[in-house]
Amino acid sequence: MREVGCPEEDLFSFLSSKRREDLGYRNILSSMCTPPHPVAARAHAIFLETNLGDPGLFPGTAALEDLLVRRLGTLMHHADAGGYATSGGTESNIQALRIAKRQKSVKSPNVVIPASSHFSFTKACDILGLEMRTVPLDAEFRMDTEAVDGFIDNNTVALVGVVGTTEYGVVDPIARLAEIALDRDVFLHVDAAFGGMVVPFLDSPVPFDFRLPGVSSISIDPHKMGMSTIPAGCLLTRNPDWFACLNVDTPYLTVKRECTLAGTRPGASVAAAVAVLEYLGMDGMRAVVAGCMENTRRLIEGMETFGYPRAVTPDVNVATFSCDRMPPGWRVSTTRNGHMRIVCMPHVTRDVVERFLVDMGDIDA
Ligand SMILES: *Cc1c(COP(=O)(O)O)cnc(C)c1O
């Protein structure tokens, strides 16, 4: 550190210069994050100093966390679901598998997950000492449910399905997985970190949530399609009591026990997540999602006109293509299989899609 502090103006000119090195979201087509909704930013500012790790000191903020869990639980068709606000999908997935592991005491525990799963499961399995059994995908990049049964044995503590895969934006056959989970008596965790804030707002949503009796827990991220500030995730469980198995004693806090992974936890991004849900309501979210899906369809149509076929027809707003050219100035990403991947987040407006297509046309010319 400096011996003597830096003048505020110099400091902020330094910080601003660093901030200018960041890319604006304008040309970013590769991210599952998006600029926060204005009400999220406004709410965040009000709750800057709040710490949900010591909820007795911040009962108002803690009530907002309860409201977030209740709203998302209701969205997942289980108003009395258990849950808490996590730092995102990674923490939610780790905690879900921790609960599953606690519920079944076996010598060499394993989890059965689709090959399309997010890399957070690699971390979770490493931390929790779980063998990761990877189930292959079908031709449309969904978990091959025919194969699932063969991967489950007496040491399987959890089965995982994904709603809105990170790479291809497809939804695993959760209804089928839920049947298998009931049949084999296995904990089913649904990773809806991305799709949880998309699928419920589609015209004809496929059931993937607590309506299916086999579903045990769900990850859902307000900091992706929920347009909250970062970090805002949520883990929901069918039975609120399941979190008790994660409790540790917290002698010097206002609560005696906590089940969260993080200790000090931001209230600001939780208030921001609540703000967006309250402000937009179902109607507003449907409009946002309808716009993103429409832009996804337009992008696919435009790319196919140039001779770049879709890799799959996505269930959510992620488009993938057989295309190895990228117009300069744009950020797109590439999947493990080498497909171009574009996430049509709210900042990827129709206008942005059209500009991108014009630039794609130009590199072909
Ligand atoms: C983004 C994502 C995650 C990880 O969430 P973070 O918030 O980045 O920790 C997990 N699973 C899926 C399906 C995701 O899309």
Side-chain angles (χ1 to χ4, degrees):
M1 273 175 69
R2 296 162 185 264
E3 201 53 48
V4 176
C6 166
E8 186 168 340
E9 284 321 304
D10 297 358
L11 169 65
F12 277 87
S13 98
F14 166 70
L15 293 177
S16 303
S17 74
K18 285 294 148 199
R19 183 69 180 104
R20 281 193 297 274
E21 291 174 19
D22 294 342
L23 304 182
Y25 270 106
R26 239 181 111 65
N27 287 11
I28 298 181
L29 308 182
S30 58
S31 178
M32 287 192 151
C33 289
T34 198
H37 191 286
V39 302
R42 186 172 166 194
H44 191 106
I46 299 171
F47 288 83
L48 266 190
E49 64 194 37
T50 61
N51 169 23
L52 286 169
D54 210 352
L57 303 180
F58 303 97
T61 311
L64 287 181
E65 181 177 19
D66 292 343
L67 181 60
L68 178 70
V69 168
R70 190 157 185 89
R71 288 281 189 260
L72 294 180
T74 305
L75 189 65
M76 299 293 112
H77 296 93
H78 182 22
D80 297 320
Y84 80 92
T86 65
S87 56
T90 301
E91 179 178 342
S92 300
N93 290 341
I94 292 171
Q95 291 284 82
L97 294 192
R98 247 181 112 197
I99 292 173
K101 187 186 173 191
R102 282 286 162 80
Q103 288 190 0
K104 189 165 179 178
S105 142
V106 291
K107 263 243 175 63
S108 351
N110 67 68
V111 293
V112 174
I113 68 173
S116 55
S117 69
H118 185 264
F119 51 78
S120 50
F121 287 100
T122 308
K123 302 180 189 177
C125 290
D126 178 45
I127 293 169
L128 298 169
L130 299 167
E131 178 202 341
M132 191 161 102
R133 295 191 172 173
T134 309
V135 179
L137 309 178
D138 65 17
E140 295 191 307
F141 303 99
R142 294 187 183 89
M143 191 179 199
D144 179 3
T145 48
E146 296 288 302
V148 168
D149 231 21
F151 283 85
I152 298 175
D153 63 19
N154 291 335
N155 291 325
T156 302
V157 298
L159 173 62
V160 173
V162 185
V163 171
T165 57
T166 319
E167 288 192 310
Y168 289 94
V170 295
V171 175
D172 284 330
I174 305 297
R176 181 70 196 114
L177 294 179
E179 286 171 8
I180 296 172
L182 282 183
D183 190 42
R184 304 292 302 266
D185 191 23
V186 185
F187 187 103
L188 172 59
H189 175 61
V190 173
D191 182 1
F194 187 78
M197 293 296 291
V198 179
V199 176
F201 307 111
L202 295 174
D203 287 338
S204 40
V206 291
F208 69 91
D209 58 25
F210 292 118
R211 259 179 305 181
L212 303 171
V215 170
S216 307
S217 61
I218 302 176
S219 302
I220 176 168
D221 274 3
H223 66 203
K224 289 178 174 169
M225 280 298 286
M227 296 167 286
S228 182
T229 52
I230 298 169
C234 189
L235 172 62
L236 298 168
T237 56
R238 178 175 295 279
N239 185 341
D241 298 339
W242 289 346
F243 282 101
C245 71
L246 304 182
N247 274 340
V248 296
D249 293 336
T250 51
Y252 46 82
L253 298 184
T254 50
V255 280
K256 293 285 148 271
R257 279 169 292 278
E258 74 179 25
C259 62
T260 55
L261 190 56
T264 303
R265 294 189 300 127
S269 46
V270 172
V274 170
V276 177
L277 297 183
E278 296 303 291
Y279 182 75
L280 291 180
M282 291 295 293
D283 226 39
M285 277 305 301
R286 279 189 205 109
V288 170
V289 166
C292 292
M293 293 303 292
E294 180 55 32
N295 291 336
T296 307
R297 281 187 289 271
R298 167 64 189 133
L299 176 66
I300 290 174
E301 174 204 72
M303 287 291 281
E304 292 193 334
T305 306
F306 292 135
Y308 300 119
R310 73 191 81 178
V312 65
T313 300
D315 300 313
V316 299
N317 42 324
V318 177
T320 47
F321 303 97
S322 297
C323 173
D324 49 15
R325 326 186 54 178
M326 311 216 182
W330 293 92
R331 285 299 165 115
V332 299
S333 51
T334 307
T335 69
R336 284 171 277 192
N337 298 319
H339 290 117
M340 175 192 276
R341 167 183 174 271
I342 291 176
V343 190
C344 290
M345 293 302 288
H347 67 272
V348 182
T349 58
R350 178 63 184 253
D351 180 54
V352 172
V353 169
E354 297 301 341
R355 281 197 293 116
F356 176 77
L357 287 171
V358 166
D359 288 1
M360 268 315 291
D362 284 350
I363 56 168
D364 263 0

